[in-house]
Amino acid sequence: MIQLPIKTVALDGDDTLWHNETRFHLTQAALRELLRRHVPDADVDRHLSDVEMRNLSIYGYGIKAFTLSMLETAIQVTEGRIPTADLDVILGWGKKMLGEPTELLDGVVEALRDLNGRYELLLITKGDLFDQESKLARSGLAEMFSGVEILSEKNEGAYRSVLRRRLIDPGEFVMVGNSLRSDIAPVVAIGARGVDIGAIEFIHRRLVKERDDGAAILLASAELDGVRSLSDRIAVMYEGRIVSFESPDADEARLGLLMTGGGAAERTGAA
């Protein structure tokens, strides 16, 4: 298939533009602590997960659905013995989550400014309509997007409907997000392209695990920060040849000089 020039870039909201999962994790930890005061051996995380999955087709996604599932979990785990005051505490957690400021990820504003003007920007996110609209309004990013789509589910049909309604050719569209299942796979399946912002982090974690398990890893990359954070030793190349072996904490200016063919008089261990 011929790849057309990208004209439209769509971005996910939660954990792509702003922090989201951290709040859920912190609140779930608080629920775990609260319920174990009543039932010390309760597997709160598993029970909450089961309840959320059962309720998904009823409540959908988002903080409201999470809050209702926490309340249901609390009642079931304690077999209805949980005091009303504790249920009120859980309800308060949900209200607090809904009213918290939208905390942007580092570099988001700069990245959107760089993209704006070169591409049509869309926000395509998933969850409760009011919750997502509220987070976008508090983020201060709304004016950077030419359109906003808040979906109940991200699948092939939903993406195909959005592109058809907006007269966007899939070959000219790219989706940026942090979920392979929701942001990447369905988009690729309809002939568009996707960028998984979590891919580099996943690969880095895997490389570190393999190294810790005793494997020898050869990493070839032009991303200096990544190389320095992952490597025990850096082989600097210029015009296809290794010109020096350096420590990961070597001076950045020196590494840059070697990468561009400079520093010939100081090259050590060159092959």
Side-chain angles (χ1 to χ4, degrees):
M1 182 181 68
I2 298 175
Q3 293 286 352
L4 301 175
I6 295 298
K7 293 183 179 179
T8 304
V9 175
L11 298 102
D12 177 45
D14 292 339
D15 296 309
T16 297
L17 300 178
W18 50 72
H19 291 281
N20 182 61
E21 278 300 313
T22 302
R23 295 173 180 174
F24 284 87
H25 292 321
L26 291 174
T27 305
Q28 185 168 329
L31 177 69
R32 188 188 312 124
E33 181 181 349
L34 175 65
L35 295 187
R36 283 180 177 171
R37 297 176 193 167
H38 301 283
V39 186
D41 60 346
D43 189 347
V44 177
D45 294 337
R46 182 194 60 79
H47 200 105
L48 176 60
S49 177
D50 290 344
V51 171
E52 285 185 292
M53 290 304 297
R54 288 198 302 270
N55 289 339
L56 190 58
S57 62
I58 304 172
Y59 301 144
Y61 299 90
I63 295 172
K64 294 175 187 175
F66 179 63
T67 303
L68 289 170
S69 291
M70 283 198 297
L71 291 168
E72 185 175 337
T73 296
I75 294 169
Q76 292 178 357
V77 165
T78 63
E79 297 181 342
R81 297 191 302 272
I82 187 168
T84 304
D86 283 350
L87 292 177
D88 192 51
V89 168
I90 296 171
L91 187 60
W93 292 340
K95 290 180 178 179
K96 181 181 178 182
M97 290 176 71
L98 284 168
E100 286 180 335
T102 304
E103 183 183 356
L104 300 179
L105 272 69
D106 292 342
V108 161
V109 173
E110 294 79 6
L112 290 179
R113 284 175 179 165
D114 182 58
L115 292 170
N116 219 335
R118 296 193 292 144
Y119 307 100
E120 178 186 11
L121 296 185
L122 298 178
L123 175 69
I124 301 182
T125 190
K126 176 179 71 175
D128 176 75
L129 178 62
F130 178 82
D131 184 22
Q132 292 295 332
E133 286 181 337
S134 179
K135 282 191 281 192
L136 176 60
R138 296 195 301 270
S139 74
L141 301 177
E143 63 181 18
M144 295 190 180
F145 296 97
S146 62
V148 176
E149 298 281 349
I150 300 173
L151 309 176
S152 59
E153 188 60 79
K154 285 180 171 179
N155 51 36
E156 293 178 33
Y159 282 111
R160 192 176 284 112
S161 176
V162 169
L163 299 192
R164 185 184 302 117
R165 186 171 65 255
R166 292 182 174 273
L167 304 177
I168 298 172
D169 188 311
E172 300 174 341
F173 174 83
V174 63
M175 178 71 195
V176 180
N178 71 314
S179 171
L180 183 63
R181 183 181 69 85
S182 297
D183 300 318
I184 310 302
V187 168
V188 173
I190 65 171
R193 282 169 274 190
V195 175
D196 182 359
I197 63 169
I200 292 178
E201 182 181 352
F202 170 79
I203 292 170
H204 284 186
R205 289 199 306 266
R206 184 59 184 266
L207 289 174
V208 171
K209 180 181 183 303
E210 294 295 331
R211 180 201 64 190
D212 293 344
D213 289 343
I217 306 294
L218 176 61
L219 173 64
S221 175
E223 295 184 358
L224 186 56
D225 288 342
V227 169
R228 297 181 74 176
S229 67
L230 294 169
S231 301
D232 298 311
R233 186 170 63 153
I234 299 174
V236 184
M237 299 187 70
Y238 175 69
E239 293 187 343
R241 297 185 61 194
I242 295 176
V243 297
S244 182
F245 289 97
E246 301 289 331
S247 166
D249 57 3
D251 181 70
E252 187 170 328
R254 170 175 170 77
L255 293 174
L257 187 64
L258 290 167
M259 290 167 66
T260 56
E266 301 179 11
R267 294 175 189 171
T268 59

